[in-house]
Amino acid sequence: MGRAATGQLTHLPQRAQMMVYRALCSMLVLPWPETPDSDQQWATRSNDLTQLVTGTTRVFHQLQQSPGWSQNSQLLQQVKPEVKQSLTLLEDLAASLAHEHSKSKATLFKAISPSVDFSISLFPVYLNQPDVLDSLMSFFLTLFDGLKSQVGSVLTERTTQTFMTLLTRQRLEEALLQEGSLGSRVVGKFLKILQLLVQDPGLPSETFLPSIISFTLKQIYPIVCQKPVPDIKTVLYELLFQLLLNNWRYFFPATVLAHMDSDDPDPLEHQAEFFSIMESFGHSFLQPDIAIFKQNLNTLETLNSKHKLYSKLQFRNSILFPFLQLLLQVLIHKSHDLLQEEICLSVYSMAAVDFPTYYHQFLPKFLTSVEGLTSEQQTELSKNYKLVEDLPSFVQNIRQFANDLRYFLTLNRSVPVGSVKLS
C-alpha cells in the first residue's frame, strides 16, 4: 500500500499495476462484510484512497507545480507517457466500480475529483496529439458511464462544453480524414459520451440539449454525411435516436390544456432541430450503406412504437410523403434488396396512419413524380394497386406494384414509349 501510494510501482508492467491498484481500491471502497456502517471507518479509508490516487497521478501534481506548464511543449512531450498511463489507471478504477453501490462510487469520486478537474485542463494542451486525446476520451467515457451521478451536472456541463468548444469544424474534419484513425476514435468516443448524457433523466434538458443538438447537427453531421466513415455514422445516428427517444417532451411538451384548446394535440417545439434530425435520417436512405439504412429504419419504427411518431401532425404534414417516396424508390430500384421485408413493413406502418390519404393522395402524386412513365402506364399501375389494409395483403400488393413499375421503366428504355402495355 505504501509503495503504491508513493508511485513506486512503475517498474511493473502496466497491466500488473492496474491489477494492484484495482485490488487496493476495492479493499478501500467496498463495504466490509458483516460490519455495521458505523464501524466501516469510511473517513480513514477515504483518506487512504486519496493517497493511493495521488500515487497514480503524481505526474499531474508535478505539472501543476511547474510554472507555465501548459505552454512548455518540451515538458508536455516529456511527461506524455506518464500522463497516458495515469489516465489509463484512473479509467480502470472508475470501470471497476461501475456496478457497485453509490457509497463506494462516491468515495472513489471524492478521491479522483482533483484529477478529473486537472484532466479537463489537459485537453487543450494536448489538442493536437490524438493518442493523448484518445486516453482522455476513454477516461471520461468510462467516468460518465459508471459514475455520472457522482460527477454531477455542473462538472458534466463544464467538461462537455470544453470538448465541444475545442472540437471545431476544422479539427473534426482533420480527425475524420481517415476511418479507424486515432482522431476518428476520439470523435466516436465523444459522441458516445453525448449518448450517455441524452439518456440521463437527471440532467436538465434545457441546459444540455440545445448545445448537444447544435454540435451534432452543425459540426459533426455535415462532415460525416458524405464521407465513408460507417463507424462514426453508426454512433452519430445512435446519438440522434437516443436524443429523441429519451427527450421526446423536449420536442412535444404536450399538456392537458393543449389537448383541449388546440387543433394539434401535440404541438411541436424546437421545430428546426426536429426537422433537421428527420432530414438526416432521410438522407441516410439515399446512401448505399445497408447497415446504416437498417439502423435508421429501426429507429423510425421504434420512435413510432414508443411515441407514435407517424401520427404526429407535423410528421404527417411535412415528412411522411418524402419518407414514403424514398422507401418506394428504394424498393423499385432494388438498391437495398436485402432489406425488402423491413422496408415494406415500414411503408405499411406509415400508410396505416391514414390509408385513404396514402391511396388517394400519396400514390397518385408518387406516380406522377416517376420519370419515364406514360400517363397510360400510371393509370394502369394505379388501377392494379389494390386498396387493402391488412399487413400480408399490403406487403404482397406493394411488392407487385414495385415489380410492375420496374418492368415499365425497363420496357420504356428498350422499346418506343407506348408501344407495349401491361395487361
Side-chain angles (χ1 to χ4, degrees):
M1 179 70 168
R3 296 185 65 184
T6 53
Q8 297 181 40
L9 299 181
T10 54
H11 63 286
L12 296 175
Q14 186 179 59
R15 183 60 186 167
Q17 291 186 53
M18 291 167 64
M19 293 176 65
V20 171
Y21 281 115
R22 179 181 283 215
L24 292 172
C25 177
S26 297
M27 181 183 70
L28 292 171
V29 301
L30 297 181
W32 294 335
E34 301 180 4
T35 303
D37 190 68
S38 58
D39 296 332
Q40 291 282 344
Q41 301 181 25
W42 287 117
T44 300
R45 295 162 67 183
S46 178
N47 290 334
D48 290 343
L49 181 61
T50 299
Q51 293 180 28
L52 180 66
V53 171
T54 300
T56 71
T57 59
R58 67 191 186 286
V59 65
F60 292 175
H61 304 283
Q62 292 172 1
L63 285 173
Q64 287 177 300
Q65 293 169 6
S66 301
W69 67 271
S70 60
Q71 284 80 41
N72 190 335
S73 57
Q74 183 178 356
L75 174 62
L76 291 171
Q77 191 65 27
Q78 179 183 340
V79 301
K80 188 170 79 166
E82 292 181 69
V83 168
K84 291 169 60 178
Q85 183 175 27
S86 294
L87 290 168
T88 300
L89 290 172
L90 288 172
E91 178 188 352
D92 188 66
L93 293 182
S96 70
L97 298 183
H99 304 291
E100 298 297 339
H101 296 294
S102 58
K103 179 68 175 180
S104 299
K105 292 182 179 182
T107 303
L108 174 63
F109 185 72
K110 180 182 177 181
I112 68 173
S113 183
S115 298
V116 173
D117 286 332
F118 186 72
S119 296
I120 299 173
S121 67
L122 290 174
F123 195 88
V125 300
Y126 283 111
L127 191 57
N128 295 316
Q129 303 199 36
D131 56 336
V132 182
L133 293 187
D134 188 50
S135 296
L136 279 164
M137 283 299 179
S138 292
F139 168 53
F140 279 101
L141 176 58
T142 302
L143 186 70
F144 286 130
D145 189 23
L147 280 72
K148 57 187 174 186
S149 297
Q150 289 70 33
V151 174
S153 60
V154 175
L155 182 58
T156 298
E157 182 178 9
R158 177 187 160 205
T159 304
T160 53
Q161 289 295 341
T162 298
F163 291 172
M164 286 191 285
T165 300
L166 293 172
L167 289 174
T168 62
R169 179 77 170 266
Q170 180 180 353
R171 294 191 183 280
L172 289 168
E173 287 179 341
E174 293 171 354
L176 296 173
L177 281 176
Q178 182 178 357
E179 166 135 23
S181 65
L182 274 175
S184 179
R185 282 165 49 187
V186 168
V187 175
K189 288 175 182 178
F190 183 53
L191 292 177
K192 289 180 180 178
I193 289 175
L194 297 182
Q195 281 183 30
L196 294 173
L197 299 187
V198 300
Q199 294 178 73
D200 187 355
L203 294 177
S205 60
E206 294 293 339
T207 300
F208 284 88
L209 289 187
S211 58
I212 292 176
I213 294 172
S214 177
F215 178 79
T216 304
L217 295 178
K218 295 180 180 179
Q219 298 286 85
I220 299 285
Y221 176 71
I223 299 173
V224 306
C225 66
Q226 299 289 355
K227 287 184 178 292
V229 284
D231 290 347
I232 297 298
K233 287 183 179 180
T234 299
V235 182
L236 172 64
Y237 283 119
E238 180 66 19
L239 168 59
L240 294 175
F241 167 55
Q242 294 296 341
L243 191 155
L244 289 171
L245 183 67
N246 294 281
N247 300 276
W248 194 251
R249 289 304 176 199
Y250 178 78
F251 298 99
F252 294 94
T255 62
V256 174
L257 187 61
H259 280 275
M260 296 173 59
D261 297 343
S262 174
D263 293 334
D264 179 7
D266 289 312
L268 173 64
E269 295 189 1
H270 310 289
Q271 292 189 27
E273 292 89 343
F274 180 80
F275 286 136
S276 292
I277 295 173
M278 289 294 116
E279 183 180 342
S280 74
F281 291 140
H283 184 270
S284 72
F285 297 145
L286 297 171
Q287 304 302 308
D289 192 320
I290 194 168
I292 297 296
F293 192 109
K294 182 176 182 179
Q295 175 184 343
N296 287 340
L297 206 58
N298 290 337
T299 286
L300 294 178
E301 288 293 286
T302 302
L303 290 174
N304 185 54
S305 174
K306 297 288 186 180
H307 298 302
K308 301 187 183 302
L309 170 65
Y310 303 156
S311 298
K312 300 301 179 186
L313 183 63
Q314 298 80 2
F315 185 92
R316 290 161 58 189
N317 287 345
S318 304
I319 305 171
L320 181 61
F321 278 18
F323 272 21
L324 282 170
Q325 182 156 344
L326 278 173
L327 295 177
L328 282 182
Q329 287 174 345
V330 170
L331 283 176
I332 292 164
H333 296 293
K334 304 182 74 171
S335 56
H336 297 73
D337 215 28
L338 290 175
L339 298 178
Q340 184 181 114
E341 182 177 351
E342 290 89 340
I343 294 171
C344 289
L345 291 175
S346 291
V347 171
Y348 176 80
S349 296
M350 293 181 188
V353 173
D354 188 344
F355 278 119
T357 297
Y358 173 77
Y359 285 119
H360 303 300
Q361 294 184 31
F362 169 72
L363 274 179
K365 184 177 181 180
F366 174 76
L367 286 170
T368 302
S369 71
V370 178
E371 295 183 1
L373 291 177
T374 67
S375 58
E376 291 82 4
Q377 289 169 342
Q378 292 175 11
T379 301
E380 190 75 22
L381 287 166
S382 180
K383 184 179 68 174
N384 291 339
Y385 203 118
K386 301 174 183 178
L387 308 184
V388 296
E389 296 187 3
D390 63 287
L391 177 58
S393 300
F394 185 95
V395 170
Q396 181 180 5
N397 200 27
I398 198 171
R399 284 176 173 169
Q400 185 62 51
F401 172 78
N403 289 336
D404 290 348
L405 200 158
R406 192 184 311 112
Y407 169 77
F408 274 137
L409 293 177
T410 302
L411 189 67
N412 291 344
R413 285 194 293 266
S414 59
V415 299
V417 176
S419 62
V420 179
K421 295 182 180 180
L422 183 69
S423 58

